[in-house]
PDB file of all heavy atoms in Angstrom:
ATOM      1  N   VAL W   8     -54.055 -28.867   3.477  1.00  0.00           N
ATOM      2  CA  VAL W   8     -54.344 -29.446   2.171  1.00  0.00           C
ATOM      3  C   VAL W   8     -55.279 -28.483   1.439  1.00  0.00           C
ATOM      4  O   VAL W   8     -56.395 -28.225   1.901  1.00  0.00           O
ATOM      5  CB  VAL W   8     -54.996 -30.840   2.311  1.00  0.00           C
ATOM      6  CG1 VAL W   8     -55.240 -31.460   0.934  1.00  0.00           C
ATOM      7  CG2 VAL W   8     -54.151 -31.755   3.179  1.00  0.00           C
ATOM      8  N   ARG W  76     -50.059 -35.047  -7.129  1.00  0.00           N
ATOM      9  CA  ARG W  76     -50.532 -36.424  -7.065  1.00  0.00           C
ATOM     10  C   ARG W  76     -51.910 -36.602  -7.718  1.00  0.00           C
ATOM     11  O   ARG W  76     -52.182 -37.667  -8.299  1.00  0.00           O
ATOM     12  CB  ARG W  76     -50.550 -36.927  -5.628  1.00  0.00           C
ATOM     13  CG  ARG W  76     -51.682 -36.390  -4.765  1.00  0.00           C
ATOM     14  CD  ARG W  76     -51.582 -36.915  -3.331  1.00  0.00           C
ATOM     15  NE  ARG W  76     -50.384 -36.423  -2.675  1.00  0.00           N
ATOM     16  CZ  ARG W  76     -49.644 -37.166  -1.856  1.00  0.00           C
ATOM     17  NH1 ARG W  76     -49.980 -38.413  -1.606  1.00  0.00           N
ATOM     18  NH2 ARG W  76     -48.574 -36.660  -1.284  1.00  0.00           N
ATOM     19  N   THR W  89     -56.914 -38.524  -1.600  1.00  0.00           N
ATOM     20  CA  THR W  89     -55.730 -37.704  -1.300  1.00  0.00           C
ATOM     21  C   THR W  89     -55.459 -37.645   0.201  1.00  0.00           C
ATOM     22  O   THR W  89     -54.311 -37.790   0.644  1.00  0.00           O
ATOM     23  CB  THR W  89     -55.927 -36.286  -1.854  1.00  0.00           C
ATOM     24  OG1 THR W  89     -56.073 -36.371  -3.278  1.00  0.00           O
ATOM     25  CG2 THR W  89     -54.764 -35.382  -1.512  1.00  0.00           C
ATOM     26  N   LEU W  90     -56.507 -37.429   0.980  1.00  0.00           N
ATOM     27  CA  LEU W  90     -56.322 -37.354   2.428  1.00  0.00           C
ATOM     28  C   LEU W  90     -55.831 -38.677   2.993  1.00  0.00           C
ATOM     29  O   LEU W  90     -54.982 -38.705   3.909  1.00  0.00           O
ATOM     30  CB  LEU W  90     -57.640 -36.951   3.102  1.00  0.00           C
ATOM     31  CG  LEU W  90     -58.108 -35.522   2.836  1.00  0.00           C
ATOM     32  CD1 LEU W  90     -59.499 -35.297   3.435  1.00  0.00           C
ATOM     33  CD2 LEU W  90     -57.137 -34.494   3.390  1.00  0.00           C
ATOM     34  N   ARG W  91     -56.332 -39.778   2.479  1.00  0.00           N
ATOM     35  CA  ARG W  91     -55.869 -41.089   2.945  1.00  0.00           C
ATOM     36  C   ARG W  91     -54.372 -41.282   2.633  1.00  0.00           C
ATOM     37  O   ARG W  91     -53.624 -41.806   3.466  1.00  0.00           O
ATOM     38  CB  ARG W  91     -56.696 -42.199   2.295  1.00  0.00           C
ATOM     39  CG  ARG W  91     -58.084 -42.354   2.905  1.00  0.00           C
ATOM     40  CD  ARG W  91     -58.946 -43.334   2.127  1.00  0.00           C
ATOM     41  NE  ARG W  91     -60.186 -43.628   2.819  1.00  0.00           N
ATOM     42  CZ  ARG W  91     -61.260 -44.185   2.247  1.00  0.00           C
ATOM     43  NH1 ARG W  91     -61.217 -44.490   0.953  1.00  0.00           N
ATOM     44  NH2 ARG W  91     -62.343 -44.435   2.953  1.00  0.00           N
ATOM     45  N   GLU W  92     -53.965 -40.859   1.447  1.00  0.00           N
ATOM     46  CA  GLU W  92     -52.545 -40.975   1.089  1.00  0.00           C
ATOM     47  C   GLU W  92     -51.684 -40.117   2.002  1.00  0.00           C
ATOM     48  O   GLU W  92     -50.629 -40.572   2.479  1.00  0.00           O
ATOM     49  CB  GLU W  92     -52.349 -40.565  -0.371  1.00  0.00           C
ATOM     50  CG  GLU W  92     -52.920 -41.552  -1.379  1.00  0.00           C
ATOM     51  CD  GLU W  92     -52.754 -41.057  -2.812  1.00  0.00           C
ATOM     52  OE1 GLU W  92     -52.100 -40.012  -3.011  1.00  0.00           O
ATOM     53  OE2 GLU W  92     -53.293 -41.723  -3.715  1.00  0.00           O
ATOM     54  N   LEU W  93     -52.092 -38.888   2.223  1.00  0.00           N
ATOM     55  CA  LEU W  93     -51.300 -37.985   3.073  1.00  0.00           C
ATOM     56  C   LEU W  93     -51.256 -38.496   4.515  1.00  0.00           C
ATOM     57  O   LEU W  93     -50.218 -38.378   5.199  1.00  0.00           O
ATOM     58  CB  LEU W  93     -51.874 -36.568   3.015  1.00  0.00           C
ATOM     59  CG  LEU W  93     -51.618 -35.823   1.698  1.00  0.00           C
ATOM     60  CD1 LEU W  93     -52.453 -34.543   1.647  1.00  0.00           C
ATOM     61  CD2 LEU W  93     -50.139 -35.491   1.546  1.00  0.00           C
ATOM     62  N   HIS W  94     -52.365 -39.042   4.984  1.00  0.00           N
ATOM     63  CA  HIS W  94     -52.386 -39.589   6.355  1.00  0.00           C
ATOM     64  C   HIS W  94     -51.420 -40.757   6.479  1.00  0.00           C
ATOM     65  O   HIS W  94     -50.727 -40.897   7.511  1.00  0.00           O
ATOM     66  CB  HIS W  94     -53.801 -40.042   6.717  1.00  0.00           C
ATOM     67  CG  HIS W  94     -53.904 -40.678   8.060  1.00  0.00           C
ATOM     68  ND1 HIS W  94     -53.711 -39.972   9.236  1.00  0.00           N
ATOM     69  CD2 HIS W  94     -54.174 -41.951   8.435  1.00  0.00           C
ATOM     70  CE1 HIS W  94     -53.852 -40.795  10.278  1.00  0.00           C
ATOM     71  NE2 HIS W  94     -54.124 -41.996   9.801  1.00  0.00           N
ATOM     72  N   ALA W  95     -51.324 -41.560   5.430  1.00  0.00           N
ATOM     73  CA  ALA W  95     -50.388 -42.692   5.455  1.00  0.00           C
ATOM     74  C   ALA W  95     -48.938 -42.211   5.397  1.00  0.00           C
ATOM     75  O   ALA W  95     -48.054 -42.800   6.041  1.00  0.00           O
ATOM     76  CB  ALA W  95     -50.663 -43.621   4.274  1.00  0.00           C
ATOM     77  N   GLU W  96     -48.700 -41.119   4.654  1.00  0.00           N
ATOM     78  CA  GLU W  96     -47.341 -40.592   4.538  1.00  0.00           C
ATOM     79  C   GLU W  96     -46.905 -39.819   5.779  1.00  0.00           C
ATOM     80  O   GLU W  96     -45.721 -39.810   6.132  1.00  0.00           O
ATOM     81  CB  GLU W  96     -47.250 -39.677   3.301  1.00  0.00           C
ATOM     82  CG  GLU W  96     -47.383 -40.400   1.979  1.00  0.00           C
ATOM     83  CD  GLU W  96     -47.563 -39.439   0.820  1.00  0.00           C
ATOM     84  OE1 GLU W  96     -47.084 -38.279   0.942  1.00  0.00           O
ATOM     85  OE2 GLU W  96     -48.169 -39.816  -0.187  1.00  0.00           O
ATOM     86  N   PHE W  97     -47.853 -39.147   6.409  1.00  0.00           N
ATOM     87  CA  PHE W  97     -47.542 -38.304   7.578  1.00  0.00           C
ATOM     88  C   PHE W  97     -48.485 -38.693   8.730  1.00  0.00           C
ATOM     89  O   PHE W  97     -49.369 -37.913   9.112  1.00  0.00           O
ATOM     90  CB  PHE W  97     -47.711 -36.830   7.232  1.00  0.00           C
ATOM     91  CG  PHE W  97     -46.906 -36.375   6.048  1.00  0.00           C
ATOM     92  CD1 PHE W  97     -47.507 -36.235   4.789  1.00  0.00           C
ATOM     93  CD2 PHE W  97     -45.556 -36.086   6.160  1.00  0.00           C
ATOM     94  CE1 PHE W  97     -46.776 -35.815   3.692  1.00  0.00           C
ATOM     95  CE2 PHE W  97     -44.812 -35.677   5.071  1.00  0.00           C
ATOM     96  CZ  PHE W  97     -45.423 -35.537   3.837  1.00  0.00           C
TER      97      PHE W  97
END
Side-chain angles (χ1 to χ4, degrees):
V8 182
R76 75 182 66 219
T89 297
L90 292 174
R91 284 172 171 163
E92 290 177 6
L93 288 169
H94 177 67
E96 292 169 27
F97 305 100

